[in-house]
Amino acid sequence: MSWRKCDEVNPSVKSVLLERKITPEFKSAISNTGWLFGDRILRAVLSFVLNLWIARYLGVAKYGLFSFAIAFVSLFNPFVTLGLDNIVVRNIVQDLTAKDKILGTAFYLRLIGACTVFLLVIISIFIVRTNDSLTISLVVILSMAGLFQSLDVIDLWFQSQVQSKYTVFARNAAFFGIAPVKVGLIILKAPLITFAWASLAEVSLGALALLAMYQFQGQSVKAWHWHSSWIKQLLREGFPLMLSGLTIMIYMKIDQIMLGSMIGDKAVGLYTAATRISEAWYFIPTAIVSSVTPSIYKARERSESEYYQRVGKLLKLMNAIAIMVAIPITIFAPTIIHFIYGEAYLQSSSVLVIHIWAAIFVFMGVATLPCFIVDGLARLTFQRTFLGAIINVILNCVLIPRYTIVGAAIATVISQATASYFSHAFHSQTIKLFRLQTRSLLFFK
């Protein structure tokens, strides 16, 4: 009897078989992704509107200065996170009984890292902009956020349990609490420095709300404790990922810093206006991957073929979304910039039509990160991003003096492609991943 005939005889057969394929694990991932998407989309839209309002209010030069300060602090952020995110999630999934040791150790390591970074940032900005008191003040205020971000290990717990809705509640509480304050600062024509304080307040409130959610779920940070064996394991596995994160920040943010140093703050403002639009979509792969990562880890334990099948499907989804975003933005870039930022930022459109295509490789990079974790290839993660960072710095040195903001955009796309895609073709342990990426990019089956 054919499938169609069977389905006609018993209409419920097909639905029953489909239901069997939808495991509780898959349902949890879909639910978790839904929460993350809802949160990211809501906050992305509202924060984008708020940021463009701030950009219009501050003007190109001041907005560029503020963006420079944010980029400068971001360079040091990997020394706060220590590359532990995916490692902590994986270890909790594998050994739930050790979660208090893992979370406690990760928290204290991050707190120490945040204190160290705070001092490094202050010293560095005094060297880079010795007589610029406003820039120094902005950087010092923004760098204090790292102290509160140590509590982001709670988010890792919720990720491991596929319960990111609680992180959504916490961060939305902080966002919607501070957003009216930022609007008030614009209306009252407040000085630039107050926006830095508002950003710090949002991070601190988010950390406290995350802590409250953790307590609400019957968990307690008092149970966390430092454990020497976990210190060694987390640092050993996290170190190459931390270096990788540092190199990622270099080729994500060094263009703004080099533009500010070589051209001026106005160039940073124009460039940042465009990258805000192209990078606004980067929450999509993060939301999807953070939800499916536990299932990828479990698939690897069950079957290699199932594991690569899941990774291939994930890559196809990432590429399809990236291309659907990039094409219309490329076509309507001048109209988008003029509508969002106004006439003063119109030069940003030339950056946007190029920079938006980095999304394809960013999406690829995020999608393949769990593969490097589960296969124990953290050192290769560092190597690929280090290569991308070096290429980005070299290209910026060559292209910025000649093509200014457009040169920086070209450098970013090439470096992203090198790090997240082409580098995989030259190593025996990643060549299969490169083939999967190529097939997904060309939408082969």
Side-chain angles (χ1 to χ4, degrees):
M1 183 180 291
S2 68
W3 170 261
R4 184 175 179 180
K5 183 67 175 176
C6 179
D7 200 23
E8 289 172 355
V9 172
N10 187 352
S12 65
V13 170
K14 191 172 182 179
S15 63
V16 170
L17 291 175
L18 288 174
E19 182 65 26
R20 287 178 180 175
K21 294 180 182 179
I22 303 175
T23 64
E25 178 185 302
F26 182 72
K27 288 180 179 179
S28 296
I30 291 295
S31 176
N32 199 62
T33 301
W35 276 102
L36 288 172
F37 256 88
D39 167 56
R40 300 293 174 85
I41 291 174
L42 177 63
R43 285 200 294 134
V45 171
L46 294 179
S47 65
F48 184 76
V49 172
L50 189 57
N51 281 326
L52 73 87
W53 197 359
I54 292 173
R56 282 176 173 263
Y57 163 68
L58 293 177
V60 179
K62 286 185 179 180
Y63 183 60
L65 175 58
F66 192 40
S67 300
F68 174 89
I70 294 173
F72 191 87
V73 173
S74 296
L75 281 180
F76 295 84
N77 192 57
F79 296 109
V80 177
T81 60
L82 297 173
L84 300 181
D85 288 7
N86 284 283
I87 293 171
V88 168
V89 173
R90 183 202 64 192
N91 285 327
I92 293 176
V93 169
Q94 293 177 346
D95 186 4
L96 188 60
T97 60
K99 68 106 172 173
D100 288 322
K101 294 179 182 178
I102 298 170
L103 291 174
T105 303
F107 169 74
Y108 287 115
L109 287 174
R110 283 190 167 188
L111 187 61
I112 292 171
C115 293
T116 304
V117 162
F118 183 66
L119 295 176
L120 286 174
V121 168
I122 294 175
I123 294 171
S124 300
I125 195 60
F126 267 101
I127 295 173
V128 173
R129 294 206 171 183
T130 307
N131 299 316
D132 191 341
S133 59
L134 179 56
T135 303
I136 291 172
S137 298
L138 289 171
V139 167
V140 170
I141 293 168
L142 293 171
S143 64
M144 287 191 281
L147 300 172
F148 297 97
Q149 288 172 335
S150 302
L151 283 171
D152 279 355
V153 295
I154 295 174
D155 174 41
L156 304 181
W157 159 253
F158 287 133
Q159 285 185 40
S160 71
Q161 301 306 295
V162 200
Q163 295 179 339
S164 292
K165 62 182 179 181
Y166 298 112
T167 301
V168 170
F169 294 152
R171 289 180 174 162
N172 276 343
F175 176 78
F176 288 108
I178 297 300
V181 175
K182 293 181 179 179
V183 172
L185 293 177
I186 296 172
I187 295 173
L188 295 173
K189 300 188 183 300
L192 174 57
I193 195 74
T194 59
F195 291 94
W197 283 113
S199 297
L200 176 61
E202 182 177 341
V203 174
S204 60
L205 284 176
L208 294 175
L210 203 57
L211 179 60
M213 283 295 162
Y214 189 70
Q215 299 285 128
F216 177 75
Q217 289 301 303
Q219 307 294 331
S220 175
V221 295
K222 293 181 181 179
W224 292 357
H225 51 278
W226 181 287
H227 199 276
S228 58
S229 63
W230 281 110
I231 294 173
K232 294 176 183 178
Q233 181 174 339
L234 292 179
L235 287 179
R236 183 179 67 253
E237 294 188 79
F239 183 71
L241 292 174
M242 180 193 71
L243 293 180
S244 175
L246 176 61
T247 53
I248 287 173
M249 281 295 108
I250 289 175
Y251 73 75
M252 289 287 289
K253 299 297 181 181
I254 198 65
D255 43 11
Q256 296 177 35
I257 295 173
M258 293 180 73
L259 278 171
S261 301
M262 299 168 70
I263 307 298
D265 292 333
K266 184 176 179 180
V268 180
L270 292 169
Y271 185 80
T272 304
T275 59
R276 287 280 188 185
I277 297 174
S278 58
E279 293 176 1
W281 307 92
Y282 291 0
F283 76 90
I284 295 176
T286 303
I288 294 175
V289 173
S290 65
S291 292
V292 303
T293 291
S295 67
I296 289 177
Y297 291 157
K298 291 177 181 178
R300 190 69 174 91
E301 294 176 357
R302 289 193 295 263
S303 165
E304 183 176 342
S305 61
E306 180 186 351
Y307 164 67
Y308 280 115
Q309 186 179 38
R310 291 200 178 196
V311 173
K313 289 180 179 179
L314 179 60
L315 284 167
K316 288 178 184 178
L317 176 62
M318 295 293 99
N319 289 329
I321 296 172
I323 290 172
M324 285 190 292
V325 167
I327 291 176
I329 289 180
T330 300
I331 296 171
F332 299 107
T335 303
I336 292 170
I337 291 292
H338 187 272
F339 176 76
I340 292 175
Y341 292 107
E343 188 72 28
Y345 288 87
L346 196 55
Q347 286 179 270
S348 298
S349 61
S350 59
V351 174
L352 183 56
V353 297
I354 298 170
H355 196 277
I356 189 62
W357 290 97
I360 292 177
F361 305 106
V362 172
F363 281 38
M364 272 190 180
V366 176
T368 57
L369 184 57
C371 302
F372 284 82
I373 302 297
V374 76
D375 290 331
L377 302 177
R379 60 185 178 81
L380 295 183
T381 303
F382 168 67
Q383 290 176 9
R384 70 174 189 171
T385 50
F386 180 75
L387 176 62
I390 293 297
I391 290 175
N392 196 22
V393 171
I394 293 173
L395 289 177
N396 274 319
C397 288
V398 174
L399 298 176
I400 287 178
R402 186 169 181 178
Y403 301 108
T404 63
I405 55 178
V406 172
I410 295 171
T412 296
V413 174
I414 294 175
S415 61
Q416 288 281 8
T418 301
S420 300
Y421 176 49
F422 292 114
S423 63
H424 297 162
F426 302 101
H427 198 285
S428 60
Q429 291 178 286
T430 57
I431 187 65
K432 192 167 185 177
L433 188 59
F434 173 77
R435 290 170 183 158
L436 277 177
Q437 288 179 298
T438 303
R439 292 179 67 182
S440 66
L441 190 60
L442 299 174
F443 296 102
F444 289 159
K445 292 184 178 180

